[in-house]
Amino acid sequence: MKRSLRKYLYISYLVAQFSLCGTSYPQVDQLPEISRWYNSYDCAISLRFDDNLDSHVEYVIPLLNEYDFKATFMINPGRNYDEHKDFWEIQLPQMGHKLGNHTWHHEGAKNPEEAEFEIGEVSKLIWQLYPNESKLNVFASGGGEEWGGEPWEKALPVYKEIVKEYYLIDLYDGNHPNIDLNSDYSIKEIKSIINETISKRKYQAFSFHKIGSKSLVDYARKIITGYNYTFEEEQLLEMIKYLNSKRENIWIAPIIQILKYETEFENSTLELVKRNTDKIVMRLKIETDPSLYDQELTLILPTLDNLSPVKIRQDDFEGIIFQLSDKEFISNIKPIESSIVIYYK
Ligand SMILES: [Zn+2]
């Protein structure tokens, strides 16, 4: 009896140690843990469309809506924008898609004052369009544009400071791998990238420009710059259908939601406070700022002596428990320092 109690205490100790460096626990001791991805999906994929192009309005967004996939649109309100202004500013946010900051004119900036306008005004516009959301957003500096005479990667710190001031995550900081898709990719290659994303349980970001056949300008651009800027409509349709066939496995979401989840996940720990026959009490510790990082985290709830969880409380809030399969239960919680109590009776 004493021996088994010691063993139990030792395992609890191990669990507490484990919980300090992550959220994986030994199998023998089932405790709640934070899911690697939202809603317990195997992996995450984001779809990003740059430059507010007509093909996005005419083809991409209706297609995404048909399959109920939410994407990120990196906009330049100062270029090719006014014709569809209402679409970008009223309809698109209502559809659940997100806008990202791609600078006002897509021309870089000669000096910090210009950069303040190019970056800041787009952020202010997007904040206005999503008044109930956190200010954290994504930023892409453009293509080969210069910032104070340098490419973005080599631009002076003063330019990067502006990005920080506006709570922007710089997608070109070297830490945000992305596959820029064009018609040189075969659908077979794309499917294999998607399959690998699932099997490795990771995050894959995809970006696109124009969707449709190459125009003469596109052919000329490819010859001059070597850069293929188009992705065929049929390719996108095939890709979306394939993602749809795997939608049970993949969290397909706007970039900002996935990045928030990743950062919250990496900066949180769950500690066991106590466990008895009818409840488990945990402490959620999290280092992210809840006013910026407000993406719900998914908690995987274990059974307790074969009992299913019946109720969950996070501080004073009562959460909802979802049953995914026979013994698989999850609940989505707020990313805040809190006490979590799971009841089994
Ligand atoms: Zn662009």
Side-chain angles (χ1 to χ4, degrees), residues 50-51 76 79 102 106 142-143 209:
D50 284 14
D51 304 347
N76 317 115
R79 191 176 80 161
H102 199 34
H106 209 293
H209 289 89

Side-chain angles (χ1 to χ4, degrees), residues 174 321 343:
I321 294 173
Y343 300 86

Side-chain angles (χ1 to χ4, degrees), residues 44-58:
I45 285 180
S46 61
L47 306 171
R48 158 185 156 196
F49 299 85
D50 284 14
D51 304 347
N52 42 275
L53 299 171
D54 295 347
S55 62
H56 303 166
V57 178
E58 288 153 12

Side-chain angles (χ1 to χ4, degrees), residues 79 130 132 172 300 305 308 315:
R79 191 176 80 161
Y130 295 86
N132 302 320
Y172 297 156
I300 300 174
D305 290 330
S308 300
D315 291 339

